[in-house]
């Protein structure tokens, strides 16, 4: 971190914003305001597909910011600021509230079946928040949602240098019956022992390995090894970033249980989800995509 990188020492990755203090402070103030109104921070939902049954199993919620002046802002552009400013705590809780309410509504309306699940990303800052499990328990009770249908995704890099309290929070979440997923698996530096220590239920294979799984022997070998590891530890696996039929075929051949990516659907607002199409994905035939 350099002195030039602003008050908080963070920078924005996007060229649309000049990386100066005034811009960052203005954006931070805008995010603070956005958290108080209802129509700026929108969860977009991207489906998971069971590669065996070819059926929809759930969605991941991904935040989008419809900024009144700047237009659509992606998470990569404002999460660093949200994390450094502490607003990430409210943002993640907001996404959990919105996502769980949406999941409960889908259940009530009979969309996607009784086991339709929801994944929500949780920033590592929130693993230090010891009030999170009881807050979440109250929310799930109020919505009458089975905790096992909610998955919290944390990235592998979030576990590095995690204080003891993070392990306690994750344990409490697990006790509650909420599931834990390790996001971007294979790109961080965590020891494999963490998989056991933090009681993960799901591994998400990073897109970096999926991208070349159909053409590169090494990527294929890594995916095969992750699948073997997951099977030995009784973990479910999702491959992220599946974009082509060729990748899909390679992953099915390797026995990857669940798939997610633009090939099936891009993240989209709840109202835009095409349920009929998702229930009948023609996985066998590349002609339809
Ligand atoms: P992630 O959780 O690993 O999510 C996967 C990212 O890959 C998403 O980007 C998704 O839109 C994108 N993606 C999905 N399928 C494909 C594909 O086939 N090809 C390609 N090229 N990309 C694909 P997005 O939505 O921009 O989110 C980026 C990251 O921001 C997420 O990575 C997650 O770590 C974080 N994030 C998103 N929403 C939230 C949130 O509500 N809270 C927190 N704490 N983090 C969030
Ligand atoms: Mg994720
Ligand atoms: Mg990921
Ligand atoms: Mg990611």
């Amino acid at each position: 971190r350099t002195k030039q990188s602003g008050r908080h020492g963070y920078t924005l990755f996007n060229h649309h914003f000049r990386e100066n203090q005034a811009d960052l402070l203005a954006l931070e103030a805008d995010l603070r305001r956005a958290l108080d109104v209802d129509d700026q921070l929108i969860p977009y939902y991207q489906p998971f597909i069971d590669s065996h049954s070819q059926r929809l199993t759930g969605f991941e919620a991904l935040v989008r910011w419809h900024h009144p002046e700047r237009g659509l802002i992606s998470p990569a552009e404002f999460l660093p600021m949200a994390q450094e400013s502490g607003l990430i705590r409210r943002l993640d809780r907001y996404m959990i509230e919105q996502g769980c309410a949406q999941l409960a509504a889908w259940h009530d309306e009979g969309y996607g079946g009784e086991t339709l699940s929801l994944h929500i990303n949780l920033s590592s800052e929130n693993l230090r928040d010891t009030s999170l499990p009881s807050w979440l328990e109250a929310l799930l009770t109020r919505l009458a949602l089975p905790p096992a249908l909610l998955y919290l995704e944390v990235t592998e890099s979030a576990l590095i240098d995690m204080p003891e309290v993070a392990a306690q929070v994750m344990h409490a979440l697990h006790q509650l019956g909420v599931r834990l997923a390790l996001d971007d698996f294979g790109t961080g530096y965590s020891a494999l022992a963490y998989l056991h220590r933090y009681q993960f239920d799901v591994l998400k294979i990073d897109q970096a390995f999926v991208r070349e799984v159909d053409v590169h022997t090494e990527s294929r070998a890594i995916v095969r090894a992750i699948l073997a590891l997951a099977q030995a530890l009784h973990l479910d696996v999702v491959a992220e970033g599946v974009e082509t039929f060729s990748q899909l075929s390679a992953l099915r051949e390797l026995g990857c249980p669940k798939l997610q990516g633009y090939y099936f659907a891009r993240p989209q607002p709840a109202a835009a989800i095409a349920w009929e199409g998702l229930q009948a994905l023609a996985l066998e035939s590349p002609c339809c995509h």
Side-chain angles (χ1 to χ4, degrees):
R1 284 182 180 181
T2 62
K3 281 212 171 120
Q4 294 97 300
S5 59
R7 181 176 65 124
H8 299 298
Y10 58 76
T11 55
L12 289 170
F13 303 142
N14 192 277
H15 59 275
H16 292 122
F17 302 118
R18 274 173 302 135
E19 292 173 2
N20 65 45
Q21 184 172 317
D23 272 1
L24 285 171
L25 287 175
L27 197 65
E28 185 182 318
D30 288 350
L31 180 58
R32 206 174 291 279
R33 234 183 332 267
L35 284 161
D36 291 327
V37 296
D38 235 11
D39 55 350
Q40 282 191 36
L41 295 164
I42 319 275
Y44 276 42
Y45 297 94
Q46 187 181 33
F48 292 89
I49 306 300
D50 181 298
S51 74
H52 184 67
S53 71
Q54 308 186 8
R55 297 193 75 84
L56 168 74
T57 65
F59 291 92
E60 176 174 4
L62 295 152
V63 66
R64 296 289 180 271
W65 185 1
H66 292 253
H67 191 286
E69 286 104 37
R70 302 187 201 235
L72 193 67
I73 311 181
S74 73
E77 298 168 59
F78 68 95
L79 281 179
M81 173 271 286
Q83 285 160 344
E84 292 286 338
S85 64
L87 290 173
I88 192 67
R89 176 164 159 166
R90 289 181 59 201
L91 177 68
D92 281 355
R93 286 194 180 203
Y94 177 85
M95 287 294 288
I96 293 172
E97 274 174 341
Q98 296 278 315
C100 286
Q102 184 61 69
L103 182 63
W106 284 332
H107 279 254
D108 287 350
E109 292 156 18
Y111 283 114
E114 301 182 331
T115 57
L116 188 75
S117 62
L118 183 71
H119 286 234
I120 298 187
N121 295 281
L122 191 70
S123 191
S124 62
E125 284 77 7
N126 293 309
L127 293 176
R128 296 160 197 261
D129 176 6
T130 52
S131 69
L132 182 69
S134 57
W135 174 84
L136 189 53
E137 184 173 25
L139 177 72
L140 293 170
T141 305
R142 181 160 60 76
L143 293 169
L145 265 186
L149 297 182
L150 180 64
Y151 291 74
L152 295 175
E153 298 192 357
V154 301
T155 59
E156 200 182 8
S157 50
L159 300 180
I160 301 167
D161 296 329
M162 257 299 148
E164 185 55 31
V165 67
Q168 287 164 21
V169 169
M170 290 180 78
H171 182 72
L173 291 168
H174 210 256
Q175 288 293 108
L176 182 63
V178 165
R179 311 283 178 98
L180 301 172
L182 189 50
D183 207 348
D184 305 344
F185 185 71
T187 59
Y189 312 90
S190 67
L192 293 177
Y194 282 7
L195 285 179
H196 185 65
R197 174 162 177 233
Y198 289 107
Q199 299 179 293
F200 284 100
D201 303 284
V202 182
L203 293 185
K204 297 191 74 177
I205 302 178
D206 194 78
Q207 190 177 358
F209 308 114
V210 171
R211 196 175 294 127
E212 299 188 319
V213 70
D214 52 337
V215 291
H216 266 233
T217 327
E218 290 84 358
S219 293
R220 194 187 298 254
I222 289 170
V223 170
R224 190 182 286 114
I226 293 174
L227 289 168
L229 174 74
Q231 194 167 34
L233 296 175
H234 308 291
L235 301 170
D236 202 2
V237 178
V238 181
E240 300 190 90
V242 181
E243 292 183 350
T244 67
F245 184 77
S246 175
Q247 292 165 346
L248 156 71
S249 303
L251 289 161
R252 293 187 81 197
E253 224 169 272
L254 289 166
C256 183
K258 294 207 174 89
L259 309 168
Q260 181 186 22
Y262 293 170
Y263 179 78
F264 306 105
R266 285 177 181 262
Q268 54 209 315
I273 293 169
W275 291 92
E276 307 73 30
L278 285 177
Q279 296 298 354
L281 280 165
L283 295 191
E284 306 289 358
S285 85
C287 70
C288 310
H289 290 267

